[in-house]
Amino acid sequence: MAKKEKTPNKKTNFSSYWLYGLIAVFFISMSLFNNSGVSNDQRINISTFERFLNDDEVERILVINKSLAQVTIKGDALQTSKHKKARSTDFLGRSNSGGPHYEFEVGNLEIFQTKLEEAKRNGIAFDYDFKTVENRWLDVMLSFLPLILIIGVWIFLMRRMSGGGASGGGQIFNIGKSKAKLFDEKSNVKITFKDVAGLEGAKEEVQEIVDFLKNPKKYTVLGGKIPKGALLVGPPGTGKTLLAKAVAGEAKVPFFSLSGSDFVEMFVGVGASRVRDLFKQAKDKSPAIIFIDEIDAIGRARGKNNMTGSNDERENTLNQLLTEMDGFGTDTNVIVLAATNRSDVLDKALMRAGRFDRQIYVDLPDLREREEIFKVHLRPLKVDTKLDTSFLAKQTPGFSGADIANVCNESALIAARKNKKKVNRQDFLDAVDRIIGGLEKKNKIITPSEKKTIAFHEAGHATVSWMLKHAAPLVKVTIVPRGQSLGAAWYLPEERQIVRTEQMLDEMCATLGGRAAEQIIFGKISTGALSDLVKVTRQARAMVTVYGLNDKIGNITYYDNNGQSEFGFTKPYSEETAKQIDEEISKIVEREYKRALSLLRKHKKKLSELAEHLLEKEVIFKDDLVSIFGKRPFEKEETVEEKVKTSPTKKAVKSA
């Protein structure tokens, strides 16, 4: 068995504030001990003192600073029971026999002195005297108090500005230092490549980089050179940062991790200084890996929108990064990993070979990869043994790895809410509905007329999608408010790599089915189709201007795939072409709307039947549509996959 590595002894941190506290306690103690006084139990009023004086029990009176009188009782009188507290021992065990035994506030000194003289004339034997006491320690402390306060405030501000002296991420003295977190073999990084499901191609390339750092001779003996960098590109939540964490866990070399925003600072030159410091640290610990997450924060293309010079600092940071990546030699064994979901806006100089030699695309997982991801995230959960991971994968088309992790966590929360011992299939289905559609809001106040409109709107979508070959068939419809919508429908999408014209047109027609149903049934339309209109307009514009699927515009695209358009503030087409584009977009949308109207008029009776059924039950499923419309004639052997299509009624209400 391998011996466990001994964890290094943690250094005890001694805060300077303890020192400040001890000094304060010292001064307070000196001031207290300088003030000789008696306890609170032995404080009396002037009338009590007069009674002691008239009883001839007072031996001596000492007036301090003309305000406080200290009274010493005669020895024989002190032994009486009424003076028991006055003769009691202090906390050190000493008996208070010599006094003073009592003290009180004098008040008017002249009147008090007159009373003492009168008692003397009456034959009462006692002594009295006046004394001025100076607390030198307190006076010295008070005299130096402003200076002490100034020094204390200065020390506090300097410590704050220097980041407390604990890390290189200070604000003044360490402002140019790198904020990168260092992970090495001693760090507690538990994520490995086993925890990264799917992403086989990306893992293979990253593993090769790790292997290069571990065994460089394996590659250099053949004349190969270490790659300068690798860029992880992909949509949010696909596992780019997780892949980098796995590299940190697998690589037995120093791993510097930081975000692109860590270079950004309000002071000029700070970003470039931090880049220099980062690469200096990496070179000192080479072989090493540098990981920059969200590199688009500093790697955007230079020269764009730089009319006021506002992004000079960011450009300086980028220039320094370019210099460092191209400047260090091949023998330093430092590799830069970066992640972004905005590769289209990155500078061309950053993307060239010799800097980021490899671009690793991390795409959304397919069916097989989703199943593997589910297996990883189901490990910590107590799930039903009958749960089928392939079924769960089919339920979540288009989900990223982060979405799947969220589904698993949400299903566990739902099961716990229902006091279940294990998470079952229905909990996962509820979790998918919760994440995609939002939380059900059954207590939301909706008028009967609005509810009827929503029912026919959703029934219109369901009817048209059921009748069209390439539209996604319905799985579930609800008119219970959910999330930001007043109704929602789940459909069965087909996972396609390419989309044909007829498929896009059928989807647009099904999307417009809700507004078309309102027009046919009520003879008027509402604002409820807002998001439907946004969706179809975006699709129609993409057909005309991006995919070249319009006969009149032709096989032309105006899509800038690198995000570094040379057109500036002008459109890449003339005003005449812009007018044609608008006309063609309008024609496509209106044609599909008329098509939806025609289909719904043809099946108006069944549409009404479906809407009434929806009003009655509030939630209907695929079986209800089969009982009303019959089976789809072009239906294939379909697996049950769900994708939400939210009704825009809620958004329409907000915009109305």
Side-chain angles (χ1 to χ4, degrees):
M1 292 180 65
K3 294 182 179 179
K4 292 185 178 179
E5 295 185 1
K6 294 183 179 180
T7 55
N9 295 327
K10 294 184 178 179
K11 294 181 180 179
T12 55
N13 295 324
F14 180 79
S15 176
S16 59
Y17 294 108
W18 285 102
L19 182 62
Y20 303 151
L22 290 173
I23 294 172
V25 169
F26 173 75
F27 278 110
I28 294 170
S29 303
M30 292 302 297
S31 66
L32 290 176
F33 279 108
N34 261 284
N35 285 328
S36 56
V38 296
S39 66
N40 290 331
D41 292 338
Q42 296 152 12
R43 293 187 69 92
I44 58 176
N45 53 37
I46 194 166
S47 60
T48 305
F49 162 74
E50 289 177 357
R51 191 170 68 250
F52 292 163
L53 185 64
N54 294 329
D55 293 342
D56 197 15
E57 295 178 345
V58 177
E59 181 180 343
R60 185 168 178 269
I61 304 164
L62 181 64
V63 181
I64 299 177
N65 296 335
K66 300 179 180 180
S67 61
L68 185 68
Q70 293 183 344
V71 181
T72 303
I73 304 297
K74 295 177 180 179
D76 53 348
L78 190 63
Q79 302 302 317
T80 59
S81 59
K82 68 178 178 179
H83 298 297
K84 183 179 178 181
K85 289 184 178 180
R87 69 172 185 268
S88 62
T89 57
D90 59 10
F91 66 96
L92 295 176
R94 297 174 298 184
S95 176
N96 187 16
S97 58
H101 301 111
Y102 299 100
E103 67 179 20
F104 62 93
E105 296 291 334
V106 171
N108 191 311
L109 185 62
E110 292 182 4
I111 297 174
F112 180 70
Q113 192 172 359
T114 302
K115 289 181 178 180
L116 294 180
E117 293 294 339
E118 186 180 348
K120 283 259 186 192
R121 287 195 295 270
N122 294 333
I124 300 174
F126 65 92
D127 297 327
Y128 73 92
D129 195 6
F130 297 89
K131 184 180 179 182
T132 302
V133 177
E134 296 181 357
N135 192 338
R136 297 189 179 275
W137 283 100
L138 186 61
D139 293 341
V140 171
M141 188 172 66
L142 290 175
S143 63
F144 282 98
L145 186 61
L147 181 61
I148 293 170
L149 287 175
I150 292 172
I151 295 173
V153 170
W154 182 80
I155 292 173
F156 175 77
L157 291 176
M158 290 299 102
R159 287 179 62 85
R160 294 287 294 178
M161 290 178 184
S162 63
S167 67
Q171 296 297 316
I172 295 296
F173 300 111
N174 295 321
I175 194 167
K177 300 292 184 180
S178 170
K179 293 185 176 183
K181 294 180 181 178
L182 175 61
F183 301 92
D184 50 23
E185 64 273 4
K186 298 179 182 178
S187 303
N188 191 20
V189 181
K190 298 181 179 179
I191 297 175
T192 63
F193 286 128
K194 293 180 181 179
D195 300 310
V196 183
L199 312 178
E200 295 301 330
K203 270 200 301 186
E204 186 178 343
E205 292 203 52
V206 174
Q207 278 178 319
E208 187 178 317
I209 291 174
V210 174
D211 189 47
F212 201 117
L213 291 172
K214 288 182 178 179
N215 308 299
K217 292 183 179 179
K218 177 182 174 182
Y219 300 90
T220 55
V221 72
L222 301 175
K225 296 180 180 179
I226 187 170
K228 296 291 183 66
L231 183 64
L232 301 172
V233 182
T238 50
K240 300 184 295 295
T241 307
L242 180 66
L243 200 60
K245 288 181 180 178
V247 173
E250 290 281 348
K252 303 300 181 184
V253 297
F255 185 94
F256 296 87
S257 174
L258 76 167
S259 173
S261 61
D262 290 336
F263 296 106
V264 181
E265 194 64 65
M266 66 178 287
F267 303 107
V268 177
V270 172
S273 176
R274 287 177 179 173
V275 171
R276 285 192 295 270
D277 186 66
L278 171 64
F279 279 86
K280 182 180 180 298
Q281 292 181 35
K283 290 175 190 176
D284 293 340
K285 292 183 176 288
S286 67
I289 297 175
I290 296 172
F291 174 64
I292 305 174
D293 202 3
E294 308 296 344
I295 195 173
D296 52 277
I298 58 168
R300 288 178 177 266
R302 293 165 292 177
K304 296 179 71 177
N305 304 323
N306 194 22
M307 298 190 64
T308 61
S310 58
N311 55 350
D312 283 345
E313 171 60 16
R314 182 181 56 77
E315 289 191 5
N316 291 338
T317 306
L318 176 58
N319 291 336
Q320 187 64 45
L321 179 63
L322 295 175
T323 304
E324 293 289 344
M325 289 190 68
D326 204 31
F328 56 80
T330 56
D331 58 338
T332 56
N333 291 346
V334 177
I335 292 179
V336 182
L337 286 181
T340 180
N341 50 28
R342 296 291 310 281
S343 62
D344 57 324
V345 302
L346 294 180
D347 196 276
K348 290 180 179 178
L350 195 64
M351 305 287 286
R352 75 160 174 83
R355 291 195 173 107
F356 284 111
D357 300 286
R358 298 182 179 182
Q359 293 185 33
I360 303 171
Y361 291 93
V362 185
D363 210 349
L364 289 171
D366 56 19
L367 181 63
R368 180 184 56 81
E369 289 175 334
R370 289 200 301 272
E371 187 174 349
E372 292 179 7
I373 295 170
F374 264 111
K375 288 179 181 178
V376 170
H377 291 295
L378 288 176
R379 287 176 194 167
L381 301 183
K382 293 183 179 180
V383 297
D384 193 354
T385 53
K386 297 179 181 179
L387 187 66
D388 186 10
T389 52
S390 62
F391 171 77
L392 298 178
K394 293 171 184 176
Q395 290 286 330
T396 51
F399 276 45
S400 65
D403 294 331
I404 292 173
N406 195 19
V407 167
C408 294
N409 183 63
E410 193 67 36
S411 63
L413 297 179
I414 291 171
R417 213 174 291 137
K418 297 178 181 178
N419 298 319
K420 294 182 179 180
K421 300 295 182 183
K422 291 184 178 180
V423 187
N424 58 22
R425 170 173 165 170
Q426 188 58 46
D427 297 324
F428 280 95
L429 294 177
D430 293 342
V432 173
D433 293 352
R434 169 71 177 84
I435 290 169
I436 301 178
L439 184 67
E440 284 190 350
K441 299 178 181 178
K442 295 184 178 180
N443 57 348
K444 196 174 186 68
I445 300 173
I446 303 173
T447 63
S449 61
E450 287 177 335
K451 195 172 183 180
K452 189 175 181 181
T453 303
I454 297 166
F456 274 97
H457 185 103
E458 297 299 334
H461 286 305
T463 303
V464 177
S465 64
W466 194 262
M467 296 299 171
L468 295 177
K469 182 178 181 179
H470 300 291
L474 181 111
V475 174
K476 175 182 174 183
V477 178
T478 177
I479 57 172
V480 177
R482 185 183 279 273
Q484 291 188 340
S485 63
L486 296 179
W490 283 256
Y491 292 89
L492 178 71
E494 182 183 348
E495 292 189 66
R496 310 182 183 112
Q497 299 300 321
I498 58 173
V499 183
R500 302 186 186 277
T501 306
E502 59 270 18
Q503 293 169 342
M504 293 187 73
L505 293 175
D506 281 1
E507 287 180 5
M508 291 170 66
C509 185
T511 305
L512 292 167
R515 167 162 283 199
E518 292 182 35
Q519 177 69 45
I520 291 172
I521 300 300
F522 305 107
K524 47 188 162 183
I525 55 178
S526 68
T527 57
L530 174 61
S531 66
D532 292 338
L533 298 178
V534 171
K535 181 182 176 182
V536 296
T537 305
R538 189 182 294 120
Q539 286 179 318
R541 183 170 294 278
M543 288 178 66
V544 176
T545 62
V546 177
Y547 300 117
L549 299 177
N550 184 260
D551 294 333
K552 190 168 183 180
I553 301 300
N555 300 318
I556 297 175
T557 182
Y558 301 107
Y559 174 66
D560 180 22
N561 64 344
N562 59 12
Q564 302 183 41
S565 177
E566 303 292 337
F567 302 112
F569 295 100
T570 61
K571 294 181 179 178
Y573 44 78
S574 64
E575 290 297 325
E576 185 180 349
T577 305
K579 186 178 179 182
Q580 288 181 352
I581 289 172
D582 292 339
E583 289 174 355
E584 291 303 310
I585 292 171
S586 180
K587 283 180 183 178
I588 293 172
V589 175
E590 292 303 319
R591 185 170 65 243
E592 295 309 312
Y593 182 66
K594 290 176 181 177
R595 188 178 164 204
L597 286 171
S598 175
L599 274 171
L600 291 175
R601 287 194 181 102
K602 187 177 177 181
H603 301 91
K604 184 177 178 180
K605 186 177 179 181
K606 292 182 178 179
L607 169 68
S608 300
E609 186 179 347
L610 181 63
E612 293 297 333
H613 193 62
L614 187 57
L615 279 169
E616 181 184 351
K617 292 193 173 181
E618 291 190 334
V619 180
I620 60 173
F621 298 89
K622 181 180 178 181
D623 295 339
D624 297 299
L625 267 77
V626 173
S627 63
I628 295 173
F629 296 100
K631 284 193 175 184
R632 302 176 78 199
F634 32 77
E635 187 172 284
K636 298 181 284 186
E637 288 295 325
E638 295 169 341
T639 55
V640 181
E641 301 176 314
E642 292 184 1
K643 186 177 181 180
V644 76
K645 183 268 170 195
T646 45
S647 169
T649 309
K650 172 71 175 179
K651 295 180 182 178
V653 171
K654 288 174 71 178
S655 62

